[in-house]
Amino acid sequence: MKVSFNGLQREVAHVAELLPGRFFCGIGVCFGCVAEINGVPEVRACRHRLRDGDVIRTES
Amino acid sequence: MRVVVVGAGPAGMAAATTAAGAGAEVVLVDSEPAAGGQFLRGRARFAHPGVTHLTDTEAWLVEDGTLHLRGPARLRFDALVVATGAYDRPLPFPGWDGPGVITAGAAQALAKQGVALGHRVIVSGTGPFLLPVAAALRELGATLVGVYEASSPTRWLREARAVAANRHKIAELAGYRKVLARLETRTAVVAKHGDRVTVAKLDRDWRPVSHRTEHADLVCTGYGFLPRTDLVPHAERTGDFLDVDDHQRTSVGNVFAAGEVTGIGGADLAAAEGVVAGAAAARRDPPREALEAVRRGRLFARALARVHAVQPGWRTWLEEDTTVCRCEKVSLRDLPDATGMRELKLTSRVAMGRCQGRICARNAAELTGVPFDGQRRVIAVPIPLGELAALPEENQP
């Protein structure tokens, strides 16, 4: 998947690869992977199925 | 009558199907896009003419006969079945909050999506669930550096009754031959710095007795499970798990519980409990076979809890600067002397972050000796204020 992560173009198979040290429980319990995805704030990224063109931000 | 089931894993699907079969109007609420729960993630084909399945829907509060959903929306019920499952309990060690450490459940969820996050992986924790996780990672092509079980398997020798009643569980182990070759017992990851992983041999209390270094880019960890009981914060429980009677009734009126919220015993026990709860919720007598399966499964679940109980020596794995609370970055040295959980939270902010203590509260209580009273939160998931503001006034229909 080709996505934008904090303004940089990245190609990853899963959102977990973008969030080392933050993706942890993988099932929406720990809130470590919270990010802004496609303009929606406070999304638990682990519950988001990544698509080409997604814009992910962990820094404002 | 309307039966609402929360959670579409093995327990919830069985409860919904059974209640619908008994003639109830059934709504199955689940936060995932497809039924199956963590166990069958994406591999369940759930469809029943008597069940309305609400996908991608989170429930956040039970109030008398009403279930509040994100959206916002409200669902009236005559009976509620809580089948919300459980999540891995991690134990902290130096480096557990850095890159390359995830829970065993996270590794399993990723594997079911075809992703192994590392090349050289270690699975470390306690309980039989470590084996399918290791097997899944291996099948994805990862090199299995080790599977470390902190407990001693000889403890199973004391559980002859549970083993005899559940022979099929032992037979399942044979399916993990290839990963069993990498299994070391009384062993745990006690630190990770970059790819250097400190592996310790443990005594019976889980205190390290010797150390060695392995190299791995991913450590998957899980020391048993904590139940997701947030929807019924006042329900009576033993330890972490909800108390239920032989019809799966909780101490809260018209609220039943099934599956891993009542104890950890595998998908077959969860499904049997779901059948009992679904029948009882629809005011029918549960089928005898299901009651018998629950009885047998509980024997196994109780033995599992004894054999794989977390032992207190884990507290010696931490350094003073080891993170305990990931959300609020509270380390061991920040934990004050406290007489209760509330005082502990207010003075250190441990368990006060986004996860509301789901990951750390239990560990923080054990590290400080403060009594832990189960996971009691008033609201089950964070809700934006705008959504609360959109709720209709109380006195309007």
Side-chain angles (χ1 to χ4, degrees):
Chain A
M1 249 74 65
K2 292 192 176 78
V3 300
S4 160
F5 179 65
N6 289 334
L8 300 171
Q9 293 304 309
R10 296 279 302 270
E11 185 156 4
V12 293
H14 195 279
V15 73
E17 295 166 46
L18 299 170
L19 301 163
R22 300 187 52 206
F23 176 94
F24 184 65
C25 83
I27 60 170
V29 173
C30 78
F31 291 79
C33 65
V34 164
E36 182 190 294
I37 301 184
N38 301 330
V40 181
E42 301 278 317
V43 176
R44 281 164 278 174
C46 69
R47 296 166 47 82
H48 173 80
R49 194 166 272 278
L50 213 56
R51 281 180 289 262
D52 274 321
D54 279 346
V55 178
I56 298 132
R57 290 193 161 277
T58 56
E59 303 155 357
S60 46
Chain B
M1 73 173 295
R2 183 192 270 172
V3 174
V4 173
V5 180
V6 188
M13 289 192 293
T17 305
T18 307
E25 177 203 348
V26 179
V27 184
L28 176 60
V29 178
D30 191 66
S31 60
E32 294 289 322
Q38 297 306 328
F39 182 70
L40 292 165
R41 181 178 271 266
R43 288 174 298 145
R45 301 243 181 288
F46 184 82
H48 191 288
V51 179
T52 306
H53 179 192
L54 302 181
T55 57
D56 293 305
T57 304
E58 285 192 293
W60 59 272
L61 183 70
V62 176
E63 206 176 29
D64 300 324
T66 301
L67 180 71
H68 289 267
L69 307 175
R70 290 285 312 274
R74 296 194 284 190
L75 259 181
R76 293 280 315 161
F77 62 80
D78 298 295
L80 179 74
V81 180
V82 176
T84 40
Y87 59 94
D88 297 84
R89 176 180 177 186
L91 293 178
F93 54 81
W96 78 297
D97 54 335
V101 183
I102 61 176
T103 68
Q108 181 79 320
L110 286 173
K112 285 175 182 171
Q113 298 167 69
V115 176
L117 218 43
H119 301 289
R120 291 179 55 82
V121 304
I122 288 172
V123 181
S124 182
T126 192
F129 177 64
L130 303 179
L131 300 174
V133 173
L137 289 165
R138 193 180 168 279
E139 269 164 38
L140 285 171
T143 300
L144 203 53
V145 175
V147 183
Y148 306 140
E149 162 62 63
S151 182
S152 171
T154 56
R155 292 175 131 229
W156 276 109
L157 298 176
R158 285 181 245 155
E159 305 290 351
R161 232 176 110 230
V163 171
N166 293 275
R167 289 179 196 284
H168 63 289
K169 294 280 190 192
I170 310 304
E172 278 172 26
L173 286 180
Y176 297 118
R177 245 183 8 258
K178 285 181 176 149
V179 298
L180 283 170
R182 309 298 307 161
L183 179 71
E184 278 183 70
T185 57
R186 281 210 183 167
T187 306
V189 167
V190 295
K192 180 174 184 289
H193 297 104
D195 285 358
R196 289 172 61 87
V197 178
T198 307
V199 176
K201 284 290 181 189
L202 307 175
D203 69 11
R204 56 178 303 166
D205 291 330
W206 294 13
R207 255 180 275 272
V209 290
S210 66
H211 297 88
R212 68 175 197 265
T213 301
E214 297 282 0
H215 291 270
D217 56 356
L218 182 68
V219 171
C220 311
T221 186
Y223 289 87
F225 297 88
L226 297 168
R228 303 179 81 161
T229 55
D230 303 300
L231 285 175
V232 281
H234 304 298
E236 282 172 19
R237 59 195 78 204
T238 302
D240 303 308
F241 296 93
L242 295 177
D243 290 339
V244 288
D245 69 7
D246 55 1
H247 282 188
Q248 304 294 133
R249 278 187 210 96
T250 70
S251 64
V252 179
N254 301 322
V255 178
F256 299 75
E260 303 205 313
V261 283
T262 73
I264 306 300
D268 44 358
L269 172 59
E273 288 189 15
V275 170
V276 173
R283 297 183 191 143
R284 295 291 173 89
D285 284 332
R288 287 170 62 100
E289 320 81 77
L291 289 168
E292 173 57 20
V294 170
R295 192 196 61 78
R296 234 179 311 120
R298 290 250 173 92
L299 275 177
F300 180 76
R302 283 194 289 265
L304 191 67
R306 283 189 292 267
V307 171
H308 294 285
V310 169
Q311 301 300 321
W314 71 266
R315 294 176 296 184
T316 65
W317 303 351
L318 288 77
E319 309 276 357
E320 282 294 303
D321 63 352
T322 302
T323 298
V324 176
C325 168
R326 302 167 68 96
C327 301
E328 294 292 306
K329 305 277 180 277
V330 180
S331 59
L332 180 63
R333 75 159 72 84
D334 302 324
L335 293 180
D337 286 327
T339 53
M341 204 65 218
R342 188 181 158 79
E343 185 187 345
L344 186 65
K345 287 159 84 170
L346 290 176
T347 47
S348 68
R349 288 203 57 78
V350 73
M352 296 281 275
R354 276 193 171 113
C355 91
Q356 288 287 291
R358 285 176 176 84
I359 301 297
C360 71
R362 173 71 184 264
N363 293 336
E366 287 186 19
L367 285 165
T368 55
V370 159
F372 180 69
D373 65 346
Q375 308 268 28
R376 294 171 198 266
R377 296 172 198 89
V378 178
I379 288 174
V381 289
I383 310 161
L385 283 174
E387 210 173 297
L388 285 179
L391 284 172
E393 295 287 338
E394 281 295 314
N395 54 2
Q396 288 173 8

